[in-house]
């Protein structure tokens, strides 16, 4: 048993990390599918999209051959509509409520159609938006993730000059550094950022970290308003013995490495345990398997019924050959010579429902032991508590609090995305960025 | 098993499906393939004076992603030498003696030419002749085709010439490019035609290439009006057919129904409105001869279900059910009803009624699904919601009569009954 890199051939890596949701091979596919859409009134798909994309409209625009109009419909509601078409858990959003489900028929492939139009727009660099004349106002956005980019684009359209401060050297946030590699490629993420900023009036300053290279007071002084879209940090500590052994890694860092390096350079164990059953856990498990790990076991303290990931995600992990231990909670990580060899878990049973309505797990006193050489922690992320506290932002366990105008307790400082909601989806962050922009426009242009 | 055997003017065929005069019946090779596939008969592609076709020839109108909802052509009559056609007709007759062989003719506009054509056709042993008075393009400019069919006097004269020498049944094929087909129908029956067929194609422009701005089909940067056919023309054909079936003079002869027949249901509808048999062109051109299998099978099963043993048992049954507007019962009133168990909450009924009809559907907003119910007192029973609903039998129209007695418009007015007040 050993942790090692370079387990597969170049071809195997290419196959394992190719698009899980491939696009239409031919335009005909898009035409047939778009004609299948019923064009619902007050459509459930639109209502279930956090950015309220007018789904029937963009689909019918594909059907009528108006692809430009279709892309504009999507981007008007969601400037990351391209990325969202690849990463959104549509089974619980638009496609999950498509009325065809009620006929026991396949829902419309909304994401695939959305990808059809947006990908064309991005690769052909269609200029779909014009900036309004300058307002002379300038806004600082911290974080070039989905929330920050969506906010910046919406502000720029209204004639506001935006400077984005990003601590990393690429834009896109977790889209670039977090989402599974078989959903989006680094090239796509770069193209998407370039496409969004091509409207003009958005200057991204990379390698500039708030709290280190720049201070909140500076931003408040130099700009008419500030938007914080800094996301959340690394995975939560398990707080169990053995966490510092070599071979225990945090899922976010593991995925960050995978998204920013050649796959062959990423180390993975023979026998990997992944703690957690959320989206990040699934991504860590499937990608470990795709990097060549022999056995990947996902450990979750409740049962399949309470799992936080969707059925589609679980099915993906199953198909990738991961195994699952339900009702098990990590108790101790055991090692030899400083390296992980075993994971000891408490066996759990379901007790009374908790605040979330899910039945909470109770320790049975029994334990199980699994031979492993790598443990990936993915049991929730922790917010940037330090940064938030340092800047005296009002917060709840690191999640920034907002008033009804979406403003923080600091004057002229707004926020949105994972840093406020604690970690949801890209599409929620985009909506939060749009909402932030509306609030900022009201604030700086005095519309309220 | 019902009996699909058809007898049209004594011309027998194992089923009532003939291929209409067009490219599918243009050559021996096509016709033999059609007979092998099971077609009951063919009307050989129109023979006449020598012509030359252009390229391209066809165009279509697609709708909702469905190709060729309507089909259009600018072809002329057969451009092959007459001798070859006649020789091949003889050969086909020999190989398939049990199938109907009708030959379509369009001679030059003089008595001698028609006599020649009719005689040479009879010499092949063909079972019947169809006179093409309908082609709306190319031949018209030469005073033939639709220009004959559009003028009852000319049509009558030509049929008289034909009947002077005809020894086999003569069917006259009418053009739909007229206000009414009845005058031409009457004229040719007066002149002695044994039967009618309709419709030939309808003049049309199917569309324009939005890059080149040249309408379709494009012949070297130009186009002409073409003849429209296929599924889109069926309702028009059915209407023309009904006018012949309801006219006391024209309904004395058998009618061969043509125009947009694609499925067995279409064929049944033509026959219910008075066609003794049917002819098909576009459906075969778009999908091949194999469609004959389901045309026969579907009709057969329907006849079994309805208890009709032979075709004559149902031909014309719907003719009396189409009346004049003044005869309709104003007291008959229906109201839509939504079956909530079937409803998939698409809202199509609601928006159709709300935007364009009588605001008779109530909406109760929900997330993500709204609930829709009919406001019975507002509903005028127009059918729009039922038409747009994507779920079969989800919206049904239920009878809520306004009064027990039959009351038509004439009587309504006579009694001075009140009109709508809103
Ligand atoms: C492993 C994983 C997989 C996921 N998969 C999916 C998926 O498939 N589909 C989906 O919809 N969502 C997915 N998500 C969630 C999604 O990525 C996030 O909800 C979304 O990216 C949040 O956007 P954001 O802009 O709020 O934050 P982020 O994307 O986190 O962006 C924050 C940005 O701010 C920068 N930043 C942070 N601190 C500072 C600072 N102090 N100064 C300057 N810049 C700073 C960061 O570098 C980053 O670029 C996934 C998340 C994870 C962790
Ligand atoms: C390409 C083409 C060529 C046709 N040529 C003839 C013809 O030579 N003689 C004729 O009587 N009708 C001709 N027709 C008309 C058809 O016989 C038929 O009346 C018409 O297409 C309507 O039937 P459909 O809807 O089944 O096609 C032609 C139709 C097409 C599409
Ligand atoms: S719910 Fe489905 S069918 Fe209705 S508009 Fe949306 S995608 Fe189309
Ligand atoms: S059209 Fe039919 S399925 Fe759609 S909301 Fe109306 S009744 Fe329901």
């Amino acid at each position: 048993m050993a942790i090692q890199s370079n387990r597969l051939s170049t071809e195997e890596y290419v196959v394992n990390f190719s698009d899980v949701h491939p696009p239409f091979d031919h335009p005909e596919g898009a035409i047939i599918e778009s004609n299948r859409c019923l064009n619902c009134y007050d459509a459930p798909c639109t209502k279930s999209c956090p950015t309220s994309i007018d789904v029937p409209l963009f689909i019918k625009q594909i059907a009528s051959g108006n692809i430009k109009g279709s892309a504009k419909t999507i981007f008007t509601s969601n400037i990351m509509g391209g990325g969202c078409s690849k990463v959104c858990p549509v089974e619980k959003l638009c496609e999950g409520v498509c009325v065809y489900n009620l006929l026991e028929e396949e829902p419309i492939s909304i994401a695939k159609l959305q990808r059809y139009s947006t990908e064309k727009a991005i690769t052909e660099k269609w200029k779909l938006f014009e900036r309004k004349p300058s307002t002379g106002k300038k806004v600082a956005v911290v974080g070039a993730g989905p929330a920050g980019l969506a906010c910046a684009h919406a502000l720029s359209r209204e004639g506001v000059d935006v400077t984005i401060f990003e601590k990393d050297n690429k834009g896109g946030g977790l889209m670039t550094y977090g989402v599974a590699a078989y959903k989006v490629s680094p090239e796509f993420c770069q193209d998407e950022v370039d496409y969004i900023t091509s409207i003009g009036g958005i200057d991204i300053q990379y390698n500039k970290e708030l709290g280190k290279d720049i201070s909140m007071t500076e931003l408040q002084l130099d700009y008419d308003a500030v938007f914080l879209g800094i996301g959340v940090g690394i995975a939560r500590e398990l707080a169990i013995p053995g966490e510092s052994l070599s071979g225990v890694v945090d899922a976010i860092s593991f995925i960050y490495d995978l998204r920013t390096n050649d796959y062959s350079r990423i180390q993975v164990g023979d026998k990997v345990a992944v703690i957690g059953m959320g989206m990040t856990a699934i991504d860590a498990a499937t990608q470990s398997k795709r990097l060549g790990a022999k056995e990947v076991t996902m450990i979750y303290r409740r049962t399949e019924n309470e799992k936080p990931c969707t059925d589609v995600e679980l099915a993906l992990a199953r198909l990738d050959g991961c195994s699952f231990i339900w009702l098990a909670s990590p108790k101790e990580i055991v090692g030899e010579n400083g390296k992980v060899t075993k994971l000891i878990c408490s066996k759990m049973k379901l007790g009374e429902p908790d605040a979330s309505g899910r039945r909470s797990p109770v320790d049975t006193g029994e334990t199980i032991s699994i031979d492993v050489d790598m443990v990936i922690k993915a049991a929730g992320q922790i917010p940037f508590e330090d940064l938030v506290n340092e800047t005296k932002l009002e917060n709840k366990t690191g999640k920034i609090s907002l008033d009804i105008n979406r403003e923080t307790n600091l004057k002229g400082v707004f926020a949105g995305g994972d840093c406020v909601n604690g970690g949801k989806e890209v599409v929620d962050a985009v909506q939060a960025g749009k909402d932030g922009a509306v609030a900022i426009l009201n604030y700086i242009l005095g519309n309220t | 098993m019902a009996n699909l055997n058809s007898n049209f003017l004594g011309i027998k065929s194992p089923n009532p499906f003939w291929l209409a005069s067009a490219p599918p019946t243009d050559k021996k090779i096509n016709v033999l393939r059609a007979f092998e596939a099971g077609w009951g008969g063919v009307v050989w592609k129109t023979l006449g004076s020598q012509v030359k076709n252009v390229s391209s020839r066809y165009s279509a109108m697609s709708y909702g992603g469905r190709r060729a909802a309507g089909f259009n052509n600018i072809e002329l009559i057969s451009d092959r030498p007459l001798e070859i056609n006649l020789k091949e007709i003889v050969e086909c007759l020999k190989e398939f003696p049990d199938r109907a062989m009708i030959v379509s003719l369009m001679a030059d506009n003089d008595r001698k030419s028609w006599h020649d054509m009719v005689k040479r056709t009879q010499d092949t042993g063909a079972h019947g002749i169809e006179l093409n008075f309908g082609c709306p393009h190319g031949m018209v400019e030469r005073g033939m085709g639709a220009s004959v069919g559009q003028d009852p006097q000319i049509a009558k004269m030509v049929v008289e010439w034909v009947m002077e020498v005809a020894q086999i049944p003569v069917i006259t094929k009418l053009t739909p490019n007229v206000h009414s087909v009845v005058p031409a129908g009457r004229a040719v029956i007066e002149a002695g035609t044994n039967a009618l067929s309709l419709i030939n194609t309808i003049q049309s422009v199917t569309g324009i290439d939005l890059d080149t701005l040249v309408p379709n089909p494009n012949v070297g940067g130009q186009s002409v009006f073409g003849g429209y056919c296929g599924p889109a023309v069926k309702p028009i054909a059915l209407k023309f057919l009904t006018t012949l079936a309801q006219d006391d003079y024209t309904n004395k002869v058998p009618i061969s129904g043509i125009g947009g027949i694609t499925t067995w249901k279409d064929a049944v509808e033509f026959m219910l409105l008075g066609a003794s048999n049917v002819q098909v062109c576009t459906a075969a051109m778009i999908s091949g001869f194999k469609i004959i299998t389901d045309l026969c099978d579907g009709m057969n099963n329907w006849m079994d279900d309805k208890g009709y043993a032979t075709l004559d048992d149902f031909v014309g049954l719907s003719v009396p059910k189409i009346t004049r507007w003044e005869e309709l019962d104003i007291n008959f009133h229906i109201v839509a009803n939504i079956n909530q168990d079937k409803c998939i909450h698409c809202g199509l009924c609601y928006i159709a009624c709300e935007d364009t009809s009588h605001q008779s559907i109530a909406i109760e907003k929900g997330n993500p699904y709204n609930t829709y119910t009919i406001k019975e007192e507002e509903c005028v029973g127009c059918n729009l919601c039922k038409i747009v609903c994507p779920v079969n039998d989800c919206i049904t129209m239920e009878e809520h009569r306004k009064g027990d007695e039959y009351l038509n418009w004439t009587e309504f007015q006579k009694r001075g009954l009140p009109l709508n007040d809103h």
Side-chain angles (χ1 to χ4, degrees):
Chain A
M1 292 216 300
I3 296 191
Q4 64 183 72
S5 57
N6 207 11
R7 285 172 179 267
L8 306 175
S9 68
T10 315
E11 295 73 38
E12 285 170 317
Y13 284 121
V14 168
V15 171
N16 288 357
F17 288 96
S18 63
D19 230 323
V20 266
H21 303 300
F24 287 108
D25 287 332
H26 304 284
E28 285 74 15
I31 302 290
I32 292 170
E33 189 61 10
S34 59
N35 276 303
R36 212 164 68 83
C37 170
L38 296 170
N39 202 11
C40 295
Y41 168 73
D42 195 23
C45 46
T46 295
K47 285 202 246 177
S48 300
C49 171
T51 59
S52 308
I53 294 175
D54 191 336
V55 175
L57 176 60
F58 95 70
I59 291 181
K60 286 302 155 191
Q61 287 173 310
I62 295 176
S64 83
N66 179 10
I67 312 297
K68 218 168 241 174
S70 166
K72 177 134 189 198
T73 300
I74 296 162
F75 288 134
T76 300
S77 291
N78 181 343
I79 195 62
M80 291 196 102
C84 278
S85 74
K86 296 163 186 249
V87 310
C88 271
V90 288
E91 63 275 12
K92 63 176 184 190
L93 301 172
C94 52
E95 291 184 18
V97 298
C98 173
V99 299
Y100 272 109
N101 292 297
L102 304 176
L103 284 173
E104 311 284 331
E105 288 292 324
E106 277 298 303
I108 300 296
S109 299
I110 300 173
K112 207 168 171 181
L113 287 166
Q114 182 168 320
R115 173 167 176 174
Y116 180 74
S117 302
T118 53
E119 211 158 61
K120 252 201 165 71
I122 294 172
T123 38
E124 293 176 16
K125 300 188 167 62
W126 289 344
K127 196 159 172 43
L128 299 174
F129 298 96
E130 293 279 344
R131 296 189 71 198
K132 285 198 185 147
S134 173
T135 56
K137 301 284 182 186
K138 41 188 200 142
V139 170
V141 168
V142 186
L149 287 168
C151 181
H153 190 266
L155 289 171
S156 171
R157 275 177 71 183
E158 296 302 316
V160 175
D161 288 327
V162 181
T163 308
I164 305 185
F165 298 96
E166 166 57 52
K167 74 169 179 193
D168 230 309
N169 62 7
K170 285 201 193 85
L174 284 177
M175 188 78 138
T176 302
Y177 295 114
V179 171
Y182 46 75
K183 293 185 183 166
V184 279
S185 66
E187 297 73 35
F188 173 80
C189 292
Q190 187 59 52
D191 287 349
E192 182 165 54
V193 172
D194 292 346
Y195 187 67
I196 294 170
T197 53
S198 69
I199 186 173
I202 304 175
D203 172 30
I204 309 188
Q205 306 247 321
Y206 290 108
N207 307 308
K208 287 271 163 24
E209 181 170 349
L210 174 66
K212 210 163 112 197
D213 308 303
I214 36 168
S215 75
M216 189 72 92
T217 1
E218 263 175 78
L219 293 180
Q220 282 177 289
L221 271 177
D222 294 351
Y223 293 88
D224 295 299
V226 179
F227 179 81
L228 300 176
I230 55 177
V232 281
I234 52 162
R236 198 184 304 275
E237 293 289 298
L238 297 170
I240 56 171
E243 225 172 322
S244 55
L245 286 165
S246 153
V248 180
V249 296
D250 141 58
I252 305 292
S253 324
F254 173 67
I255 295 169
Y256 182 99
D257 285 347
L258 188 135
R259 290 296 312 270
T260 47
N261 284 291
D262 208 77
Y263 299 125
S264 63
R265 295 176 54 186
I266 309 302
Q267 302 219 324
V268 70
D270 277 335
K271 296 185 168 200
V272 180
V274 177
I275 319 277
M277 200 57 74
M279 180 137 64
T280 304
I282 297 277
D283 286 0
T286 52
Q287 291 180 107
S288 299
K289 203 82 190 22
R290 287 164 191 243
L291 283 171
K294 299 210 171 77
E295 277 174 31
V296 174
T297 310
M298 298 192 69
I299 316 276
Y300 183 50
R301 38 193 201 120
R302 308 183 199 228
T303 74
E304 187 173 337
N305 288 336
E306 292 80 28
K307 67 177 187 305
C309 67
T310 65
D311 288 339
V312 172
E313 287 159 350
L314 183 65
L316 188 67
R318 278 216 168 95
L319 281 175
D320 277 1
C322 301
S323 43
F324 307 88
I325 300 181
W326 308 100
L327 290 168
S329 175
K331 191 168 193 285
E332 183 182 353
I333 304 168
V334 182
E336 270 168 34
N337 307 325
K339 291 184 186 161
V340 175
T341 56
K342 273 186 183 34
L343 173 68
I344 315 277
C345 296
S346 306
K347 280 181 139 185
M348 313 298 276
K349 63 174 189 208
L350 286 185
E352 295 302 308
D354 65 8
S356 72
R358 294 184 305 176
R359 293 175 64 189
S360 46
V362 194
D363 198 336
T364 60
E366 288 172 60
T367 59
I368 43 171
S369 160
I370 320 158
D371 289 342
V372 291
D373 52 11
M374 184 171 181
V375 173
I376 303 180
K377 301 182 287 182
Q381 281 168 261
I382 40 168
F384 291 119
E385 226 166 333
D386 292 349
L387 174 69
V388 171
N389 288 334
E390 248 166 54
T391 48
K392 305 213 167 45
L393 276 164
E394 220 167 76
N395 66 87
K396 272 199 202 118
T397 58
K399 289 193 256 176
I400 302 171
S401 314
L402 301 181
D403 67 14
I404 48 160
N405 295 323
R406 310 197 150 263
E407 198 174 352
T408 66
N409 60 314
L410 305 184
K411 182 128 189 69
V413 179
F414 298 75
D418 277 5
C419 65
V420 171
N421 65 32
K424 282 185 165 175
E425 321 291 348
V426 171
V427 65
D428 299 291
V430 169
Q431 185 58 33
K434 281 162 64 186
D435 291 342
V438 171
I440 289 173
L441 288 168
N442 279 336
Y443 174 77
I444 58 181
L445 303 175
N447 289 348
T448 36
Chain B
M1 280 289 267
N3 181 353
L4 289 190
N5 283 340
S6 157
N7 182 342
F8 190 90
L9 294 172
I11 303 169
K12 304 226 166 73
S13 55
N15 60 57
F17 299 101
W18 293 355
L19 282 165
S21 173
T25 62
D26 183 43
K27 295 190 291 306
K28 177 180 170 188
I29 180 170
N30 305 109
V31 169
L32 291 184
R33 290 178 65 82
F35 286 161
E36 275 156 23
W39 287 83
V42 298
V43 182
W44 198 275
K45 172 76 182 170
T46 306
L47 308 180
S49 52
Q50 204 60 42
V51 298
K52 184 99 184 89
N53 275 306
V54 293
S55 160
S56 56
R57 303 177 186 183
Y58 308 148
S59 64
M61 203 210 44
S62 47
Y63 177 76
R66 174 71 219 214
R67 283 165 208 267
F71 190 72
N72 172 74
N73 83 91
I74 57 168
E75 259 181 20
L76 307 178
I77 60 175
S78 174
D79 56 7
R80 307 171 73 216
L82 182 61
E83 291 67 32
I84 297 182
N85 276 305
L86 295 174
K87 178 171 149 285
E88 289 188 357
I89 289 170
V90 174
E91 290 164 2
C92 292
L93 274 162
K94 202 187 235 160
E95 284 200 46
F96 284 90
D98 64 326
R99 309 304 168 88
M101 172 64 75
I102 315 299
V103 179
S104 170
L105 300 180
M106 184 195 288
D108 286 343
N109 240 349
D110 61 82
R111 188 167 178 208
K112 182 175 173 307
S113 301
W114 276 103
H115 281 184
D116 267 6
M117 285 297 298
V118 171
K119 285 181 190 156
R120 295 187 70 176
T121 304
Q122 287 174 169
D123 289 345
T124 63
H127 307 119
I129 289 170
E130 186 179 78
L131 307 178
N132 178 353
F133 289 176
C135 185
H137 46 263
M139 309 312 291
V140 173
E141 293 81 338
R142 309 185 192 184
M144 297 153 81
S147 73
V148 175
Q150 281 163 343
D151 185 331
Q153 287 320 307
I154 300 178
K156 186 174 171 209
M157 178 178 73
V158 173
V159 174
E160 279 165 359
W161 293 338
V162 169
M163 298 319 290
E164 284 163 9
V165 290
Q167 284 161 0
I168 52 176
V170 173
I171 306 165
T172 302
K173 183 170 180 178
L174 300 177
T175 175
N177 295 297
V178 288
H179 163 66
S180 165
V181 290
V182 174
R186 285 187 186 169
V188 296
I189 292 171
E190 229 169 88
T193 193
N194 306 106
L196 299 173
S197 62
L198 92 171
I199 61 173
N200 208 310
T201 55
I202 305 174
Q203 279 206 314
S204 70
V205 177
T206 46
I208 298 175
D209 179 323
L210 294 184
D211 286 328
T212 62
L213 310 188
V214 180
N216 308 317
N218 177 336
V219 182
Q222 291 184 301
S223 194
V224 291
F225 296 155
Y228 202 44
C229 49
V233 309
K234 182 189 89 167
I236 300 165
L238 286 176
K239 180 262 175 179
F240 278 131
L241 169 66
T242 308
T243 60
L244 293 181
Q246 292 188 330
D247 182 86
D248 281 339
Y249 196 76
T250 52
N251 67 12
K252 295 292 180 286
V253 300
I255 307 167
S256 184
I258 320 168
I261 295 167
T262 309
T263 69
W264 61 270
K265 286 187 180 169
D266 301 326
V268 167
E269 288 165 358
F270 272 79
M271 294 173 74
L272 286 170
L273 285 175
S276 298
N277 76 358
V278 294
Q279 300 182 28
V280 177
C281 167
T282 304
M285 290 184 73
I286 297 296
S287 310
F289 293 143
K290 190 166 180 280
I291 59 166
I292 187 61
T293 308
D294 190 53
L295 285 172
C296 290
D297 193 53
M299 180 178 283
N300 208 317
N301 286 334
W302 175 80
M303 286 172 66
D304 284 348
D305 287 348
K306 299 292 286 184
Y308 299 130
T310 68
L311 303 176
D312 288 339
D313 289 351
F314 69 92
V315 165
L317 291 188
S318 298
V319 175
K321 297 185 195 293
I322 294 184
T323 179
R324 294 180 315 127
W325 197 94
E326 291 79 4
E327 304 293 326
L328 296 174
D329 181 3
I330 288 176
N331 272 341
F332 177 78
H333 185 70
I334 51 174
V335 168
N337 179 60
I338 296 176
N339 179 338
Q340 296 297 338
D341 293 335
K342 288 192 168 178
C343 174
I344 59 169
H345 315 282
C346 65
L348 297 180
C349 56
Y350 169 79
I351 200 59
C353 187
E354 192 69 13
D355 278 356
T356 69
S357 197
H358 290 80
Q359 299 74 42
S360 314
I361 300 180
I363 178 171
E364 188 192 315
K365 291 266 184 177
N367 203 351
Y369 302 121
N370 302 337
T371 305
Y372 300 99
T373 44
I374 302 293
K375 300 184 213 160
E376 287 191 4
E377 44 329 321
E378 303 291 331
C379 175
V380 301
C382 72
N383 281 346
L384 182 62
C385 57
K386 182 181 159 70
I387 290 167
V388 300
C389 178
V391 184
N392 282 342
D393 301 328
C394 171
I395 298 186
T396 45
M397 306 304 294
E398 295 179 352
E399 199 168 326
H400 291 222
R401 289 191 64 87
K402 292 284 190 196
D404 292 337
E405 56 168 348
Y406 162 86
L407 176 70
N408 66 31
W409 172 240
T410 320
E411 184 59 25
F412 190 92
Q413 271 185 314
K414 214 187 281 170
R415 294 192 200 168
L417 291 168
L419 298 171
N420 293 353
D421 56 5
H422 66 277

